[in-house]
Amino acid sequence: MTDQTTETSDGIPGPDGAAHVIDTEYQIGQDNVEGSVGPFGFDIHNPVFMVSGAAIVAFVFYTLALPEQAGAVFSWLFSSVTKGFDWFFIGAANIFVLFCLMLIVTPLGSVRLGGTEATPDYSYIGWFAMLFAAGMGIGLMFYGVSEPLSHFASSMGGTATEGGMRTDWAPLGAASGNEAEAMRLGMAATIFHWGLHPWAIYAVVALALALFSYNKGLPLTIRSAFYPVFGDAVWGWVGHLIDTLAVFATLFGLATSLGFGATQANAGLNELFGVPVGSTTEVVLISAITAIALVSVLRGLDGGVKILSEINMGLAFVLLIFVLLVGPTLFLLSLFWDSLVAYVQYLPALSNPIGREDVNFSQGWTSFYWAWWISWSPFVGMFIARVSRGRTVREFIICVLLIPSIVCVMWMSVFGGTAMYQVVTDGYTVAQDAALELKLFKMLDVMPLAGITSLVGIVLVIVFFVTSSDSGSLVIDTITAGGKVDAPVPQRAFWCIFEGAVAIVLLLSAGGLQSLQSMVISTGLPFTVVLLLMCYAILRGLMSERRNT
Amino acid sequence: MFQKIVVPIDLAHEAALGKTLQVAADLARSHKASLCFVGVASSAPGGVARTPEEYDAKLQSFAASQTAQHGVPASGHTIISHDPAVELNKALEKAIRDLGADLVVMATHVPNISDYIWAGHGAHVAAHSPASVLLVRDQDSTN
């Protein structure tokens, strides 16, 4: 563009310029191959599409051909990553939270994504619905009841040591026998895993991508965020590697959750209608979810993904209000406040990366969660970036970090709170003792209109999967098209179907999903390094932007 | 008979437009009509331009070069789309209405089997636009 910019030696426009593009020789789409297979056109980034496609097929074959060996390898990888690097995950996640909070209060927060003149692409409601549905919708359905209950129960149980090592799963020092305190600690620990930290992880990735494509004019793909670090080398193999890893983590992350989601929806349908539990039902469910997702991706971002996300947010809100009003309303309202206070109070201890005594909790829960959120971050972050043009950095962080965190506190307080109330006041422990996928339904069981609310629960689970699957297909399609968002439509249909097929194949093989999920989570480790570099890149990028005054 | 001729174009495939541009310019001259080139850009950086503003600048200069070449008045109109791959048809339809076009001239490929699944953009515009539509095949059917 023509604005006056003071160029620094590495080609990044200086702080006097408006939001303007990095001067690079790279032309978007220059490494792409265009053509057609039969009647279907394609436009793909050569190494990234081929390498990630081939690697995915190879990994699926490996897990199918040698299930035991693959299972052992991946679970070893998984446990060494989450146990050996717990300090790294916990420390890095703290840095992301502080980094985001810093951006809110400093003048850098007034930089607008897309340049000073840009206007937001979406209304607040549509935007928020989409980032929430992609970010964690599905997890809330399953952990909303189960996680507060688990931490509550383990805290009530108190601590146990063997050979100087804690063998219990309670957070921090537990709260042996003290119901009120165990509840507070349980809620604080749950919110810790679903609040500021995960959303800060997403916000870092999303902000980096949005900044480097909308303000700097680089392609909308993960590698662009590394331009300040690697310079023009990001268009070479370093970049191919980063993008391929992102495609890999996204596809397997989606396929494994699609598989687990089908298992969970099946359990709910069995509970409600007596639909048989088994691989036939699950295959039918995955095919149906993939088919709906296919319609949604073919209808595009505004006609499909956005509408489904809004429907979902509306339904989830109705369910939340229903449980709040029909459940122990006053107790839940005060629990919401107490949980917030408890979260703030326990936050320093929970986020301490070193010298933890509660090893099972900090490695088995916290470190696992951080690795999980981080391995999902390329997908969610890229999707958030896609819909966030026109927002200022401050607005962006508040809406991606603070508001979702508050919603999570609300959700966890209402669902977890009702379940804990049932245990403490009514002595109803069926939900507490049920399998993970059934806890929500067992809790709804003893409330009025259980048939309807459970059905709403199942619909929510399924639609949340559809929204993950369609937004995931869009993201993978964009990355494998070298950042082009206008690649031929059959290409995104391909990824959507491929994802469903991988999920079905893995579901039918014994332990396939489990071992690949371990592998996906292991990709959290290299991505943590990637995210730390992104923080640096964001700072460099923001400092060269014109601030709104 | 015609006053405003809209010509939807894809700047990424400028080279393939020759025949369409010639037809549009001839019609504009004989009807004393003005030409309006419509292009669709995504809000994310693309192959043609890295920002929507850059796209618009390219489209305007394309229109100016057409004026110079054919001696007919021409302008450019940029549509920004979130998801150009699927929103193109609807966006074109809207632009044709908004611009008050009475004739649309656009390039289109010779139909093939995939048109039964995804109709081409030309087919959609012809089916839904209030204006007259002239679809120019990229090659003669006799070839």
Side-chain angles (χ1 to χ4, degrees), chain A residues 39-40, chain B residues 109-120 123:
Chain A
F40 301 115
Chain B
H109 61 91
V110 174
N112 59 28
I113 186 86
S114 79
D115 286 85
Y116 289 99
I117 307 168
W118 280 285

Side-chain angles (χ1 to χ4, degrees), chain A residues 22 24 27-28 39-40 121-122 213-214 217-218 298 300-302 386 389 485 487 489 492, chain B residues 13 42-47 50-54 82-87 113-114 117-118:
Chain A
I22 289 178
T24 165
Q27 172 142 21
I28 297 170
F40 301 115
D121 281 353
Y122 292 98
S213 17
Y214 298 135
L218 301 185
L298 294 181
L301 206 48
D302 291 8
R386 177 90 186 258
R389 189 174 195 272
V485 295
V489 178
R492 59 174 81 163
Chain B
H13 297 106
S42 68
S43 45
R50 292 156 77 193
T51 62
E53 294 79 23
E54 189 187 346
H82 298 146
D83 194 357
V86 293
E87 288 168 2
I113 186 86
S114 79
I117 307 168
W118 280 285

Side-chain angles (χ1 to χ4, degrees), chain A residues 194-208:
Chain A
W194 293 83
L196 293 175
H197 288 75
W199 288 99
I201 289 168
Y202 292 161
V204 165
V205 180
L207 185 58

Side-chain angles (χ1 to χ4, degrees), chain B residues 48-138:
Chain B
V48 174
R50 292 156 77 193
T51 62
E53 294 79 23
E54 189 187 346
Y55 187 96
D56 191 49
K58 284 196 171 170
L59 185 63
Q60 299 303 342
S61 79
F62 175 82
S65 75
Q66 288 296 306
T67 303
Q69 193 180 334
H70 299 288
V72 288
S75 57
H77 177 79
T78 301
I79 305 170
I80 310 294
S81 166
H82 298 146
D83 194 357
V86 293
E87 288 168 2
L88 188 72
N89 288 339
K90 287 246 162 67
L92 282 181
E93 201 183 315
K94 184 172 179 299
I96 291 165
R97 280 174 207 275
D98 293 351
L99 291 166
D102 40 21
L103 175 65
V104 178
V105 177
M106 67 189 288
T108 179
H109 61 91
V110 174
N112 59 28
I113 186 86
S114 79
D115 286 85
Y116 289 99
I117 307 168
W118 280 285
H121 304 306
H124 181 96
V125 169
H128 298 276
S129 157
S132 302
V133 178
L134 172 58
L135 298 182
V136 182
R137 296 285 184 229
D138 50 3

